[in-house]
Amino acid sequence: METLKKTVYLIILAFITFLPARRLVAQDYSSLQPAFSTSYTQETAGDYSNAIATLKKVYDDSSYEVNARLGWLNYMAGQFTESTTYYSKAATLMPYSIEARLGYALPASAMGNWDQVVNKYLEILKIDRYFVFSKKSVH
């Protein structure tokens, strides 16, 4: 019974210890929301350079979402090398991301790097060999 009490005590202590850290993560996300919103507005207006600058102000190297978004915005701005860099980072952060690999294929094809395009599609098929035949593409 004493062991059970110690275990419960340690679990409660762990929750109390890590609760402030969870709040910090939530604060980071709350600061990203306005930046994403602004970047979408700027993208809609065709102002890709300012949309990129807006996200770079809150850039987090470990954020899949920010890297994927910067990959897209750089692609739209015609900055293909930068785009592939951000998409690669996003794919590294989420190794099973099909979205990041599809995104990477866009600037790679725009640059005529067909070997890279083929490699990305092969990577996608390794992740999900039924990707081509998903319900969305059949209908």
Side-chain angles (χ1 to χ4, degrees):
M1 191 65 163
E2 189 65 31
T3 305
L4 180 62
K5 286 181 181 179
K6 286 181 181 179
T7 303
V8 170
Y9 173 75
L10 288 174
I11 291 171
I12 291 171
L13 182 63
F15 278 119
I16 292 171
T17 302
F18 292 111
L19 190 59
R22 295 172 114 192
R23 288 185 184 148
L24 289 175
V25 171
Q27 289 173 354
D28 289 341
Y29 282 118
S30 67
S31 69
L32 288 177
Q33 288 175 340
F36 267 80
S37 179
T38 301
S39 81
Y40 280 115
T41 301
Q42 292 165 328
E43 177 191 6
T44 301
D47 190 3
Y48 303 115
S49 60
N50 278 328
I52 292 166
T54 297
L55 284 182
K56 283 188 175 182
K57 290 177 186 173
V58 295
Y59 182 72
D60 179 2
D61 192 34
S62 65
S63 171
Y64 169 83
E65 295 82 5
V66 173
N67 281 289
R69 179 87 177 122
L70 284 170
W72 171 253
L73 290 170
N74 278 283
Y75 168 71
M76 293 300 291
Q79 299 171 358
F80 303 132
T81 302
E82 292 85 351
S83 177
T84 58
T85 301
Y86 286 114
Y87 277 127
S88 290
K89 181 65 176 172
T92 300
L93 292 168
M94 297 199 61
Y96 294 106
S97 170
I98 291 173
E99 175 188 45
R101 287 168 176 80
L102 287 172
Y104 184 99
L106 293 171
S109 66
M111 292 186 290
N113 295 334
W114 299 111
D115 289 339
Q116 290 178 3
V117 173
V118 169
N119 287 335
K120 288 301 167 188
Y121 283 116
L122 290 173
E123 287 177 18
I124 290 168
L125 290 173
K126 285 179 185 175
I127 294 167
D128 182 0
R129 67 183 183 148
Y130 299 109
F131 176 75
V132 176
F133 302 108
S134 70
K135 292 179 183 177
K136 291 180 181 178
S137 65
V138 172
H139 294 281

